[in-house]
Amino acid sequence: MSNKYRVFIDGQAGTTGLQIQQRLINHPHIELLTIDEARRKEAQARQEMMSAADITILCLPDAAAREAVALADAVGARVLDASSAHRTEADWVYGMPELGADRRAAIRQSSHVSNPGCYATGAITLLAPLVQRGLIGAQTPLAINAISGYSGGGKAMIERYQQTAPGYAAYGLGFDHKHLKEIQKWSGLAVRPIFQPAVGDYAQGMLVFIPLNNVLDGDSAWRALDEFYAGEAFIRVMPLNALPEESAPFLLPEALNNSNMLELFVFSHAEHRQTLLAARLDNLGKGASGAAVQNLNIMLGLPEDICVNLPTD
């Protein structure tokens, strides 16, 4: 009999589910439970898998995720939800362990953990420390701009993008992107920001930008981020006003692909009191599957760095 933890991925055929499987297949402490392909949409079969698993990971659209949680709750299953359905729910733990000293303990003890969104991960990690320290007022009106590889929208966006191949395309222009509530709540903002995402002509990788005009000085912002994330394994605060030598004068979105790393940048112009905050991550890594495996490890009391990156050949 295996002494490994058993994990069931409900929605394992989707982009995030497949990426999680690729990470967990070599996990030394986890056994993946697989459902019969012919029964993968049957509620009873899925619930049986949830009952047998130590943790169920949901990789489903929001409505389906809510239905799956009802199935899981009926058998007392622990759930890690990769959808956006529960990220602002009061009775769910938000799975961003780097947000505070008590966050890891809450994730470890919870039966309901919501995995953060990709764009939200970049925005929140930049804003939350600055709002908490009063460097950015909660009432400050903000604009967030971001670009992701076309894999960021899942199968539907991938198929549509590949059909039209626009090169660069802005979207989310209705001021109602699903990450907005999540960004506002976990950044500590009282005012709803404007969020304008875009998709670029590449598969994966993400940049998130937050321009600040006469709000704070760059040195203070950089020091606050550097202190807040000191010792974190997966968040690296880059030197103030510094671009990576290998890509300068460009900041490229794909440098962290297939990893669970997140890089934070602060660019500033002291004379004009203008600052640009930037985050770089893999939308499929720290923005989705890598973060899910990190949270899974924490929930199981395992070292959180096991198999968070995609294996390399």
Side-chain angles (χ1 to χ4, degrees):
M1 180 178 293
S2 173
N3 59 357
K4 295 182 178 182
Y5 294 105
R6 294 163 298 178
V7 172
F8 170 54
I9 302 173
D10 193 6
Q12 61 190 24
T15 303
T16 299
L18 289 171
Q19 287 259 329
I20 292 174
Q21 285 185 77
Q22 290 176 40
R23 286 166 165 81
L24 293 183
I25 195 167
N26 295 316
H27 198 299
H29 305 295
I30 286 176
E31 174 189 353
L32 281 173
L33 302 182
T34 56
I35 192 168
D36 188 294
E37 178 64 21
R39 301 187 67 200
R40 66 184 179 87
K41 293 187 179 182
E42 292 181 15
Q44 181 179 345
R46 292 161 58 211
Q47 192 173 54
E48 289 171 359
M49 301 298 288
M50 294 174 182
S51 183
D54 293 289
I55 292 178
T56 292
I57 304 175
L58 305 181
C59 300
L60 301 165
D62 287 6
R66 294 187 183 96
E67 294 173 357
V69 170
L71 295 175
D73 286 350
V75 294
R78 298 183 77 192
V79 175
L80 172 60
D81 184 12
S83 82
S84 61
H86 301 100
R87 290 173 184 161
T88 59
E89 297 294 324
D91 54 348
W92 283 69
V93 171
Y94 189 61
M96 190 177 286
E98 296 89 355
L99 265 190
D102 61 346
R103 184 65 45 177
R104 283 179 169 86
I107 294 170
R108 185 168 57 252
Q109 296 163 11
S110 180
S111 61
H112 293 72
V113 176
S114 184
N115 206 56
C118 53
Y119 288 121
T121 295
I124 293 165
T125 51
L126 287 168
L127 290 172
L130 305 182
V131 175
Q132 287 181 27
R133 298 187 178 202
L135 295 173
I136 295 178
Q139 298 286 343
T140 305
L142 297 173
I144 303 167
N145 304 291
I147 185 168
S148 171
Y150 53 78
S151 62
K155 283 188 173 181
M157 179 176 282
I158 292 171
E159 291 174 2
R160 182 165 184 179
Y161 184 89
Q162 290 176 338
Q163 289 171 1
T164 58
Y168 173 95
Y171 69 103
L173 302 175
F175 298 90
D176 59 353
H177 192 281
K178 65 180 182 178
H179 287 179
L180 267 169
K181 291 182 180 179
E182 177 187 358
I183 291 171
Q184 182 176 351
K185 176 174 181 176
W186 296 108
S187 297
L189 298 173
V191 175
R192 192 172 188 259
I194 291 175
F195 175 51
Q196 197 274 292
V199 62
D201 192 18
Y202 60 98
Q204 65 191 86
M206 174 173 286
L207 295 171
V208 179
F209 297 103
I210 306 173
L212 300 169
N213 195 31
N214 201 32
V215 174
L216 79 172
D217 67 271
D219 184 67
S220 296
W222 180 87
R223 282 188 284 107
L225 293 173
D226 193 53
E227 291 170 4
F228 192 90
Y229 295 115
E232 289 293 348
F234 302 115
I235 297 183
R236 183 163 53 230
V237 180
M238 308 303 284
L240 179 65
N241 287 324
L243 282 165
E245 291 183 3
E246 66 275 12
S247 65
F250 305 111
L251 183 60
L252 303 178
E254 300 170 273
L256 301 178
N257 281 7
N258 300 322
S259 83
N260 195 49
M261 286 302 301
L262 168 69
E263 291 177 342
L264 303 181
F265 298 82
V266 178
F267 304 101
S268 70
H269 193 296
E271 180 183 354
H272 298 298
R273 198 171 166 79
Q274 293 177 321
T275 299
L276 179 65
L277 308 176
R280 175 163 68 178
L281 64 155
D282 178 5
N283 55 287
L284 298 180
K286 185 61 171 167
S289 304
V293 175
Q294 182 184 357
N295 279 318
L296 178 66
N297 285 330
I298 295 171
M299 293 175 76
L300 294 172
L302 301 171
E304 60 191 82
D305 61 343
I306 301 178
C307 292
V308 293
N309 302 319
L310 273 181
T312 55
D313 296 331

